[in-house]
Amino acid sequence: MPVITLPDGSQREYDHPVTVLEVAQDIGPGLAKATVAGKVNGELVDATRTIDEDAQLSIVTNKDEEGLEVIRHSTAHLLAQAVKELFPEAQVTIGPVIEDGFYYDFAVDHNFTPEDLEAIEQRMKEIVKRDLPVERSVMPRDEAVAFFRGLGEDYKAEIIESIPQGEALSLYKQGEFIDLCRGPHVPSTGKLGAFKLTKVAGAYWRGDSSNEMLQRIYGTAWPDKKQLKQYLTRLEEAEKRDHRRLGKELDLFSLQEEAGGGLVFWHPKGARIRKVIEDYWRERHLEAGYELLYTPHIALEDLWYTSGHKGFYSESMYAPMEEDGQLYQLKPMNCPFHVLIYKDRLRSYRDLPLRWAELGTVYRHEMSGALHGLMRVRGFTQDDAHIFCREEQIEEEILRILDLTIEMLSKFGFSDFEVDLSTRPDKAVGSDAIWDKATEGLRNALERKGLAYSVDQGGGAFYGPKIDIKIQDAIGRKWQCSTIQLDFNLPERFEMEYVAEDGERHRPIMIHRALLGSVERFFGILVEHYEGKFPLWLAPYQIVVMNITDRQAGYAQDVVEALKKQGFRAFADLRNEKIGFKIRERTLERVPYLLIAGDQEVASGRISVRTRSGEDLGSMTLETLTQRLNQEIAEFGQMQPKLENV
């Protein structure tokens, strides 16, 4: 007679074993309808799982985060079933949950088309209407291999063969379709329905380019059609903001295939914005007590063995090049170079902390299929910095980094932050004592700053704990930009030392940190966040001055020159075109301020002012205009971060 204890402490007694779903039905029909799974003594299980002894139970509904994952995982199986019904020759492989959705990889000779996706989605809806029960069973590992071989599912059998012998595996069956899966899944296909297939892409079997190319179908799934519609609207908005399209339309940058994939060419307007970003970055770092460094793009291969990159990171590094009988390597990171500068002479405790920053261009070997505009490239400039300090300085240095991070991200218009603190993994270098001290330093700095955070237990790097900060853009997407990582590994590998107060040699603590992540990726985020409508201080051209007829050309040019002398990025549009045409064209180019010079403006020494949003500000003196512009630049990004939403 199990006694079921619910989250509110109430208990329900039964004289027979019960399922999670039966308990939900006992509580109420509304809860039963929303139930997709349960948590029994903390373990996420199917709603059909039988409970035959006393247990703690939480009902997982379609409104819970874990429930949404169950829905998406179940919808991936629904997709696989629909594909098998329409394309029986297709072999199923894997179908995991991903952010905002799921995918499933198929081995099939047929190339899926947009029309196929529509047909597959329609078949998925038909299977939902059948309301097929989803049944779990357990099968020994070797029996499961033979079972899937018998079905002609060689990829699935290969997956099972990689599982240790003697293990029992769970299988899920809905109708005639059966698949290997840990689960849990929804009780029946009728629990699904708010989904959409989004695209097809290629994917190598097990992510290895030497293996066969599979076809990957992506989809999204939500608890209800309202949330699905909201997500699809966000997708449409994201498409409008796609930095690759806007980069071409606004002539900001290009990716030239003749030069190779993943290499960014900055055009004049994009380069103007980049210069503003980099100038601000350098100015703030100097004010924050950093010194600037410049380091080479290559180094002897042996350096990367010493740093450990050849052992831990070689697949992301390019092959070495030979010169004078020695092998050189393009740098994937700046860290070892900064270490070498530190080791150039013996340091004292009085020298610490040392704060060194570099806009260093690095090179990563990315698969061509992984490249994505500015977001994933092969050569990029990292806004890198390293702090070398004593153990007792960790907390203050982290606090300084957090202050600088929040200030800089706010200046670019971001105010919603999500923070994660990642702690020691199972395999790590460094003593328990130093890990505890370092983690406590990170935690204390976050709390002193007033930043709420989530703890990613065991999610730290093997060389130290870290803080990761995500920003939220204008349409609610989260972007990982800033990271702060403590490192006990490189100081050990490079035998870094400083002379302490007692005259003994000690190892410094190394802090790696990037605030923007990389200039290229951050620029892409800015393009999408603002839809190319950059704030005044960032815009490549802040002002365009347009004449109505040739009579005002000289006056318009004089206004431009006066604005340039005051530091504004201005230009004149003196083309022999109608003023309406010029206004429309420059508005499409997202120029923040459009100034118009006609005969009245020339006679009065004033200028008519419009904004790119279409607002007519009327006629004003140049002095009044520049005061307005300077105030707008000064006030932008001064908002306080929304710490309550972190």
Side-chain angles (χ1 to χ4, degrees):
M1 291 181 37
V3 176
I4 307 300
T5 303
L6 300 172
D8 63 359
S10 63
Q11 294 184 326
R12 290 175 180 263
E13 296 185 26
Y14 296 90
D15 59 5
H16 58 279
V18 290
T19 66
V20 172
L21 189 56
E22 286 172 338
V23 175
Q25 289 169 338
D26 190 27
I27 296 172
L31 180 62
K33 184 177 180 181
T35 298
V36 295
K39 290 187 79 170
V40 178
N41 297 327
E43 179 189 0
L44 190 64
V45 300
D46 297 297
T48 53
R49 174 71 65 89
T50 298
I51 307 171
D52 55 11
E53 59 184 9
D54 294 354
Q56 302 275 342
L57 173 64
S58 299
I59 305 296
V60 177
T61 73
N62 55 16
K63 295 181 180 179
D64 297 320
E65 186 173 338
E66 290 167 312
L68 180 55
E69 187 164 326
V70 170
I71 287 171
R72 287 173 175 164
H73 202 166
S74 300
T75 309
H77 278 224
L78 180 68
L79 163 62
Q81 181 179 3
V83 169
K84 289 291 290 183
E85 288 187 5
L86 293 172
F87 304 91
E89 73 282 7
Q91 290 192 56
V92 296
T93 63
I94 58 171
V97 173
I98 58 175
E99 185 177 3
D100 292 332
F102 58 90
Y103 69 77
Y104 214 113
D105 289 346
F106 300 94
V108 59
D109 291 335
H110 176 79
N111 290 320
F112 291 129
T113 66
E115 291 73 24
D116 290 330
L117 287 195
E118 291 180 14
I120 294 167
E121 190 175 304
Q122 186 56 44
R123 181 58 61 94
M124 292 169 69
K125 293 175 181 177
E126 292 172 10
I127 297 171
V128 168
K129 289 180 180 177
R130 296 178 208 165
D131 198 18
L132 301 173
V134 179
E135 301 166 330
R136 181 180 183 271
S137 61
V138 177
M139 187 178 290
R141 180 257 199 190
D142 292 344
E143 187 178 328
V145 171
F147 175 77
F148 281 100
R149 290 276 185 213
L151 293 178
E153 298 289 356
D154 295 331
Y155 290 88
K156 194 68 68 172
E158 185 180 326
I159 293 172
I160 300 171
E161 285 174 333
S162 66
I163 298 172
Q165 287 189 353
E167 289 198 20
L169 308 175
S170 59
L171 278 63
Y172 282 83
K173 182 178 186 295
Q174 49 196 59
E176 298 301 314
F177 178 73
I178 189 166
D179 201 357
L180 170 75
C181 191
R182 289 194 313 270
H185 284 274
V186 294
S188 71
T189 59
K191 291 281 188 179
L192 307 173
F195 54 79
K196 179 73 179 173
L197 301 184
T198 54
K199 64 179 179 178
V200 179
Y204 291 111
W205 169 233
R206 294 195 157 177
D208 187 339
S209 60
S210 63
N211 287 337
E212 309 92 298
M213 176 67 79
L214 308 176
Q215 291 191 72
R216 176 172 293 176
I217 297 179
Y218 285 93
T220 187
W222 297 85
D224 53 56
K225 287 184 167 55
K226 179 181 178 181
Q227 292 185 58
L228 173 63
K229 184 178 180 181
Q230 290 173 341
Y231 173 74
L232 294 176
T233 299
R234 287 201 304 274
L235 278 187
E236 291 175 7
E237 186 63 30
E239 179 65 26
K240 284 168 46 183
R241 294 168 178 265
D242 191 313
H243 72 281
R244 295 166 298 180
R245 181 178 64 81
L246 290 174
K248 185 176 181 65
E249 287 181 8
L250 301 177
D251 195 24
L252 302 175
F253 66 90
S254 61
L255 299 162
Q256 301 287 343
E257 292 303 321
E258 293 176 44
L263 303 173
V264 183
F265 289 74
W266 294 83
H267 295 200
K269 288 202 290 185
R272 280 174 172 263
I273 301 173
R274 174 170 176 156
K275 181 180 184 300
V276 174
I277 293 171
E278 292 187 352
D279 286 350
Y280 172 70
W281 186 91
R282 291 189 181 94
E283 173 190 319
R284 284 301 301 117
H285 278 75
L286 290 171
E287 290 173 357
Y290 288 78
E291 296 287 350
L292 301 182
L293 303 180
Y294 295 91
T295 59
H297 290 235
I298 62 172
L300 286 170
E301 185 183 37
D302 288 347
L303 178 69
W304 307 104
Y305 279 109
T306 303
S307 70
H309 286 94
K310 290 294 285 190
F312 293 103
Y313 206 73
S314 60
E315 63 184 22
S316 295
M317 299 172 68
Y318 283 98
M321 61 191 86
E322 186 174 350
E323 181 66 32
D324 296 330
Q326 293 181 296
L327 293 177
Y328 285 83
Q329 190 91 50
L330 276 169
K331 66 174 178 180
M333 307 276 189
N334 300 301
C335 339
F337 290 47
H338 293 193
V339 170
L340 292 183
I341 296 175
Y342 179 96
K343 284 174 59 70
D344 191 56
R345 64 181 179 85
L346 183 62
R347 308 287 173 174
S348 162
Y349 72 93
R350 293 187 180 90
D351 298 324
L352 305 182
L354 288 170
R355 307 183 191 99
W356 291 340
E358 177 182 13
L359 288 168
T361 300
V362 297
Y363 303 89
R364 308 272 175 89
H365 181 258
E366 298 283 0
M367 300 295 293
S368 58
L371 300 175
H372 179 74
L374 299 180
M375 305 305 188
R376 196 76 175 263
V377 294
R378 288 175 170 152
F380 59 91
T381 302
Q382 200 164 40
D383 77 308
D384 218 349
H386 297 95
I387 293 99
F388 303 98
C389 65
R390 308 193 304 272
E391 286 182 35
E392 59 269 25
Q393 295 173 324
I394 289 174
E395 185 175 325
E396 284 302 320
E397 288 307 306
I398 298 301
L399 192 62
R400 290 173 66 102
I401 295 170
L402 289 172
D403 286 341
L404 183 58
T405 302
I406 300 302
E407 178 188 344
M408 289 188 66
L409 293 177
S410 296
K411 177 62 179 175
F412 287 102
F414 298 105
S415 59
D416 287 302
F417 304 102
E418 184 177 287
V419 183
D420 289 320
L421 170 62
S422 300
T423 62
R424 179 175 184 151
D426 293 334
K427 293 183 179 180
V429 298
S431 67
D432 289 344
I434 196 171
W435 269 87
D436 291 344
K437 190 169 187 176
T439 304
E440 192 62 23
L442 297 184
R443 192 189 306 274
N444 289 343
L446 287 170
E447 291 175 356
R448 285 175 62 185
K449 184 63 181 171
L451 288 166
Y453 60 91
S454 299
V455 176
D456 181 7
Q457 202 69 42
F462 75 92
Y463 51 76
K466 63 177 181 171
I467 294 171
D468 289 323
I469 300 175
K470 295 179 182 177
I471 55 177
Q472 181 171 300
D473 71 9
I475 58 174
R477 295 172 300 181
K478 303 288 178 64
W479 300 93
Q480 169 69 58
C481 287
S482 310
T483 187
I484 306 165
Q485 303 177 353
L486 299 192
D487 188 352
F488 320 131
N489 182 52
L490 285 185
E492 190 68 34
R493 294 183 75 100
F494 280 94
E495 299 181 343
M496 299 173 68
E497 294 179 332
Y498 69 90
V499 180
E501 291 176 277
D502 59 7
E504 297 294 320
R505 304 287 180 91
H506 292 270
R507 294 264 186 266
I509 300 296
M510 185 175 183
I511 304 176
H512 305 251
R513 47 113 294 198
L515 305 188
L516 310 182
S518 81
V519 174
E520 286 76 5
R521 184 170 177 271
F522 190 72
F523 182 79
I525 292 169
L526 287 173
V527 171
E528 298 199 0
H529 179 60
Y530 290 110
E531 199 181 352
K533 301 169 186 172
F534 294 101
L536 183 62
W537 79 282
L538 273 178
Y541 285 105
Q542 298 166 313
I543 306 155
V544 56
V545 184
M546 299 172 284
N547 61 321
I548 296 176
T549 69
D550 288 343
R551 291 193 301 274
Q552 302 95 36
Y555 179 73
Q557 193 62 56
D558 289 344
V559 171
V560 167
E561 294 306 316
L563 290 168
K564 283 183 175 181
K565 285 180 181 178
Q566 295 189 57
F568 295 106
R569 297 184 291 279
F571 72 102
D573 183 349
L574 306 178
R575 294 174 299 164
N576 186 23
E577 299 283 358
K578 292 183 178 179
I579 190 63
F581 174 83
K582 291 198 280 191
I583 289 173
R584 284 192 299 274
E585 194 170 67
R586 300 308 179 186
T587 299
L588 290 174
E589 291 177 3
R590 274 81 160 175
V591 180
Y593 282 88
L594 293 77
L595 311 187
I596 302 164
D599 288 338
Q600 285 187 341
E601 284 74 23
V602 174
S604 63
R606 298 166 72 89
I607 195 79
S608 290
V609 183
R610 294 172 59 93
T611 68
R612 64 185 164 205
S613 64
E615 184 182 5
D616 187 349
L617 301 180
S619 176
M620 61 182 71
T621 64
L622 203 56
E623 181 182 4
T624 301
L625 173 64
T626 55
Q627 287 175 351
R628 176 191 176 96
L629 298 178
N630 283 321
Q631 183 178 357
E632 183 175 334
I633 290 170
E635 292 179 352
F636 187 84
Q638 298 302 309
M639 73 285 284
Q640 290 296 310
K642 298 178 182 177
L643 303 182
E644 70 277 10
N645 292 334
V646 173

